[in-house]
Amino acid sequence: MSELFDAVDALIASRATLPPPAERKRLRAAHGLTIDEVATALKVRRATVSGWESGKTEPRPPERDAYARLLKQLAELYPAPEEPAAPVPATFTAAPAPAEAPTLSTGPAPEAAAMTEHENTQTPAAAAPAAEARPAPATRTSTSRRPAAKKAAPANTPAGGTDPRFENGPLAVVDVDEDGQVLAYCTGGMVLDVPAKSLPALVDWTLTTAKLGAPKLSGPGKDADPLLVLTEAALERYGLPATLTPEERTAGRIPENHKVIKQLTRAEWQLTKRGFGPWARIYRPATGSERACVQLCIPSWNALDVRHWGEAGQLPPAELARLLGVYATRVMTPRGSTAVTGLELMTALHPATRASEPDADGKRHSEHNPGSLGKDPVDCAPCEAPDGHPLLADLPRFHVRTPAERLFEEAYDWARPMTDAECTLRHLVGLDVNMAFAAGANGLTVGTGAPTHVKNPVFDPKLPGSWLVDLSHVDLSRVKVGKEWAELDGDLLPSPFTPKGERPTGPAWYATPTVAYAVELGYEVRPTEAWVRRENARYLDGWYQRLRDAYLATMADLGVDADLAPEDFLTAMAGYKQRDPEMAILASAIKATVKGGLGKLRERPRGEGWRPGQPWRALSRPTWRPDIRAAVISRTRINLHRKIVKHASFTGQYPIAILSDCVVYAAAGPGPLDFLPYREGKPLPGGFKLGVNPGLVKHEGTQSVLWGEEVREKFNAPELNLARYIKDGNVTDTDTGE
């Protein structure tokens, strides 16, 4: 009889009731358990538990009974909060709602007043407030024979777009489940059945049925094309390789004679010039205002660079959809690498053309959109051209241009030996400027048209351009700080006019912000030549504001708010990446979007058989603008130097190393508050201020003075740039060129 009872108990256990997937995750997190701990206790793989929590798979006996027992006990300890049920549209099948709904940012924060040319530490609007909690969106009923799987959204998953055309969000991750069914994981927590049996059919389904995409970011712009992220299982289903061969990685695409490309050609689909690679665009020529284009992202082909996206490519489909969906909502639907997306965001916010007013016949025509870069590329000035540019084709081979022949605005890489007084201190403390280059772009007037050559011009700080001027007479030992003259130790300060911090020795080309700073320091400037841009605008303001708001909202998700007191900010920043690793990845991607987008403004040749003096592909873009990149870098470097001078004039402390947006000081204590002159919680006006906003600073790292001296002595490099290693203290022979 006992054997029969055991059999009955086992039968009941095999049907043990489990809460919805999102509730399983909530209960585990509420008790402070990790996925690894649960997997070890149940003797299953980590991926198995992750699948149970994402709803991709369901537990089976005998683990199901033990898992149900665990969740039941946790539910008694942490009961679910009561929430009103959301109405479910008639065309949808309701998915199990999680007990704790995700919290989302409602969008960009209110606009903040623009920062002035001389101060980039004003606090912009705080991160967007979180939306009210709501149950996970319903799961759309599929048109295939099988009902759509009922899956709950991971935490912080953005809901589908409010535009009915894009109700399932901007993108979907396409995967194949254990039963062989193709599923599309959308950003709003919906999981759609995909009936397509081939890649051309998948593209058709995406454009006709999936309701994916995103509305345009500006009035004259275009709606974002839908993005499909293909997992390795989906690649296999549609006849594509899981990984690229070394030859294909070098080429950045699969061969033109691949069977899948032939399928697309037969179905009258086309690929862009970059072919079928990690970020493939499949389209048909537009008819009128209707676009037919789908973009593919293939993580296993290195579409999501680990330098910027971390382990995003290894996430389960639902979690990857959440991560990319938040990026798409806060920044834009990815159009390629973070660099490509950063550049595309500029044109999405400032399209080249707009519709004109109706003519006499009531028709509208395409016209230039004021404030944009236009639809046609413009030549840079000869001094702004990088080596190998067609404008320099007549230069002798191996000619090295002098500062009087080229514009060289780059970020700092400067260091000096420590003084005896600094060697008596115990610590080296690094400060890092948050999104420094984004802050440098804010409020900056840049040229939108072609340059005009001028001889012996009168310098105008409001006119963007490149100026040939001698700044060697600027003496940092006596400079204006505000309206007062200050006496400083000029030998302990880097020159603001060169990336290496060396004092100029004669005439050189500079961007407008650099020359304007020389005037600000109290010195006269007399340019002998200039290339100025009389057509100009604050082209990057909207770009900065959108990326700023995206960054602040993401950091708020990680527990770092914009209005924290200095001590609370330092506490919040300690270990913030561990609070939500996926949101930490997103913060990294947003910062990479800033730097990469600016870098693309002066993209260099990328193979393709290019030779010096010949044009390369990037030159055909209106957004190939080395002058804009130079102006942003110039202003970023000047912003940092202004803070250094202000700090030195007030405290007598000087930096010992600077690398780009990181500056290192010797200090008596191990933290920023041990040397930053805060008074009653208020920073030195115009100096360094702790905070998460772009232009403010955070603690980069601390090492001992003894460490710094030992490293420099070991490599016989008294001016080794310690800012490069201040974060973790690791210095290798390779780093120092040994």
Side-chain angles (χ1 to χ4, degrees):
M1 183 64 67
S2 61
E3 293 180 357
L4 294 177
F5 287 167
D6 291 342
V8 170
D9 290 343
L11 188 62
I12 296 299
S14 68
R15 301 295 189 270
T17 302
L18 298 174
E23 174 68 356
R24 303 169 195 173
K25 183 175 182 178
R26 185 192 74 82
L27 291 172
R28 173 183 59 76
H31 200 61
L33 298 175
T34 65
I35 292 180
D36 290 323
E37 289 174 328
V38 175
T40 300
L42 299 179
K43 298 181 179 180
V44 296
R45 296 184 301 114
R46 184 186 191 280
T48 301
V49 178
S50 179
W52 296 345
E53 291 189 354
S54 66
K56 185 176 180 181
T57 60
E58 288 294 315
R60 299 175 180 175
E63 293 84 4
R64 186 181 181 94
D65 184 39
Y67 190 46
R69 182 182 181 87
L70 169 66
L71 296 175
K72 180 179 179 181
Q73 294 183 27
L74 292 177
E76 294 173 356
L77 294 173
Y78 311 100
E82 294 184 1
E83 292 183 358
V88 180
T91 58
F92 284 64
T93 301
E100 184 175 55
T103 300
L104 292 176
S105 169
T106 58
E111 298 296 333
M115 299 180 184
T116 66
E117 179 69 18
H118 304 302
E119 181 53 60
N120 265 329
T121 59
Q122 297 180 21
T123 304
E132 295 182 4
R134 58 181 177 233
T139 304
R140 191 177 190 279
T141 304
S142 172
T143 56
S144 69
R145 291 174 296 177
R146 299 177 69 254
K150 299 179 181 179
K151 310 287 174 67
N156 283 348
T157 302
T162 56
D163 191 318
R165 297 173 300 159
F166 314 125
E167 64 182 31
N168 290 331
L171 57 89
V173 179
V174 181
D175 191 32
V176 182
D177 66 10
E178 294 177 346
D179 297 328
Q181 174 64 30
V182 182
L183 301 175
Y185 292 79
C186 303
T187 58
M190 304 178 193
V191 183
L192 309 180
D193 281 339
V194 181
K197 304 299 182 183
S198 66
L199 192 62
L202 178 64
V203 174
D204 279 319
W205 172 84
T206 302
L207 293 172
T208 59
T209 306
K211 294 189 176 182
L212 295 173
K216 56 190 177 183
L217 295 180
S218 67
K222 299 177 181 178
D223 296 331
D225 298 320
L227 172 66
L228 296 181
V229 184
L230 303 184
T231 66
E232 291 188 34
L235 292 174
E236 181 180 357
R237 170 60 61 90
Y238 291 116
L240 292 165
T243 59
L244 298 179
T245 65
E247 294 77 13
E248 291 168 344
R249 284 198 299 270
T250 300
R253 64 183 74 189
I254 58 177
E256 297 294 332
N257 60 357
H258 193 280
K259 63 178 181 180
V260 171
I261 297 181
K262 292 180 179 180
Q263 290 175 2
L264 292 169
T265 302
R266 286 195 296 270
E268 299 182 345
W269 289 106
Q270 300 180 28
L271 294 166
T272 57
K273 291 182 179 179
R274 61 182 172 182
F276 203 123
W279 291 94
R281 296 189 68 81
I282 304 172
Y283 72 98
R284 286 185 180 133
T287 55
S289 61
E290 295 296 324
R291 290 167 56 86
C293 182
V294 173
Q295 179 155 321
L296 303 183
C297 167
I298 305 178
S300 64
W301 294 7
N302 197 34
L304 301 176
D305 192 323
V306 295
R307 294 173 298 175
H308 312 312
W309 288 102
E311 301 301 320
Q314 308 302 319
L315 291 174
E319 295 181 26
L320 181 55
R322 170 218 178 193
L323 173 61
L324 294 178
V326 178
Y327 181 89
T329 301
R330 293 178 179 173
V331 181
M332 70 178 297
T333 304
R335 296 288 302 271
S337 66
T338 50
V340 169
T341 303
L343 193 70
E344 291 288 341
L345 180 61
M346 295 179 193
T347 52
L349 293 169
H350 283 286
T353 59
R354 68 177 183 181
S356 67
E357 294 297 324
D359 60 16
D361 297 327
K363 295 182 179 180
R364 296 179 183 270
H365 306 277
S366 177
E367 66 177 14
H368 173 70
N369 184 26
S372 76
L373 298 183
K375 62 180 181 178
D376 298 317
V378 297
D379 284 336
C380 61
C383 62
E384 298 164 351
D387 291 341
H389 192 279
L391 287 175
L392 309 176
D394 294 335
L395 287 179
R397 192 178 183 187
F398 305 122
H399 175 74
V400 178
R401 291 191 290 165
T402 66
E405 295 175 291
R406 67 163 180 163
L407 178 70
F408 190 64
E409 296 282 12
E410 298 294 338
Y412 267 131
D413 185 354
W414 168 87
R416 63 169 175 82
M418 283 186 273
T419 65
D420 292 342
E422 289 167 339
C423 288
T424 64
L425 301 175
R426 297 185 60 185
H427 303 281
L428 299 176
V429 183
L431 300 176
D432 181 74
V433 182
N434 292 312
M435 295 183 71
F437 295 100
N442 181 35
L444 177 65
T445 301
V446 300
T448 56
T452 300
H453 189 226
V454 183
K455 286 285 190 178
N456 298 314
V458 175
F459 176 68
D460 183 353
K462 297 182 180 179
L463 187 60
S466 300
W467 309 79
L468 181 61
V469 58
D470 188 350
L471 299 180
S472 61
H473 64 291
V474 177
D475 183 6
L476 295 180
S477 298
R478 188 172 186 271
V479 297
K480 269 192 174 181
V481 181
K483 296 182 180 180
E484 303 293 331
W485 285 92
E487 303 291 335
L488 302 175
D489 190 338
D491 294 335
L492 301 182
L493 285 172
S495 168
F497 310 126
T498 62
K500 290 292 184 180
E502 301 166 345
R503 187 168 179 169
T505 57
W509 285 97
Y510 302 101
T512 296
T514 302
V515 185
Y517 187 54
V519 176
E520 179 187 332
L521 291 176
Y523 291 86
E524 184 182 9
V525 297
R526 295 182 178 178
T528 58
E529 191 177 346
W531 289 88
V532 297
R533 287 174 167 81
R534 306 197 186 280
E535 295 178 37
N536 52 70
R538 289 168 52 159
Y539 174 71
L540 295 173
D541 273 10
W543 182 81
Y544 159 78
Q545 290 158 6
R546 187 163 180 86
L547 289 166
R548 174 204 64 194
D549 292 340
Y551 180 71
L552 293 181
T554 303
M555 293 303 292
D557 287 343
L558 289 163
V560 186
D561 295 318
D563 56 354
L564 292 175
E567 297 83 355
D568 296 333
F569 169 71
L570 292 174
T571 301
M573 286 295 294
Y576 75 95
K577 293 182 179 180
Q578 282 68 50
R579 294 182 196 128
D580 188 335
E582 292 173 23
M583 287 297 101
I585 291 174
L586 179 60
S588 172
I590 293 171
K591 290 188 288 186
T593 303
V594 173
K595 289 187 176 181
L598 293 173
K600 278 282 184 179
L601 291 170
R602 199 193 66 164
E603 183 177 358
R604 302 303 303 275
R606 305 178 66 181
E608 304 171 355
W610 174 81
R611 292 183 178 181
Q614 295 179 343
W616 58 93
R617 184 183 301 178
L619 299 186
S620 63
R621 295 193 322 249
T623 50
W624 192 84
R625 293 295 302 271
D627 57 298
I628 296 179
R629 173 187 177 273
V632 173
I633 294 176
S634 163
R635 192 163 184 247
T636 302
R637 193 182 66 248
I638 295 307
N639 286 341
L640 181 57
H641 196 274
R642 185 181 293 115
K643 290 177 172 59
I644 290 170
V645 167
K646 185 72 173 181
H647 184 85
S649 66
F650 188 81
T651 67
Q653 298 168 337
Y654 296 83
I656 65 167
I658 310 173
L659 182 67
S660 186
D661 49 7
C662 177
V663 56
V664 176
Y665 282 89
L673 291 177
D674 291 311
F675 71 96
L676 291 183
Y678 270 81
R679 290 183 177 179
E680 298 179 355
K682 296 183 179 180
L684 174 68
F688 295 105
K689 178 181 178 181
L690 291 167
V692 72
N693 289 287
L696 306 190
V697 298
K698 63 178 182 292
H699 183 204
E700 178 70 2
T702 296
Q703 304 297 329
S704 68
V705 169
L706 181 60
W707 163 86
E709 288 297 278
E710 287 180 343
V711 166
R712 286 178 165 178
E713 183 178 349
K714 175 182 177 181
F715 294 103
N716 192 27
E719 295 185 3
L720 180 69
N721 195 331
L722 298 177
R724 193 182 307 275
Y725 318 106
I726 195 71
K727 189 168 189 175
D728 56 19
N730 294 328
V731 186
T732 66
D733 293 345
T734 303
D735 293 332
T736 58
E738 296 293 326

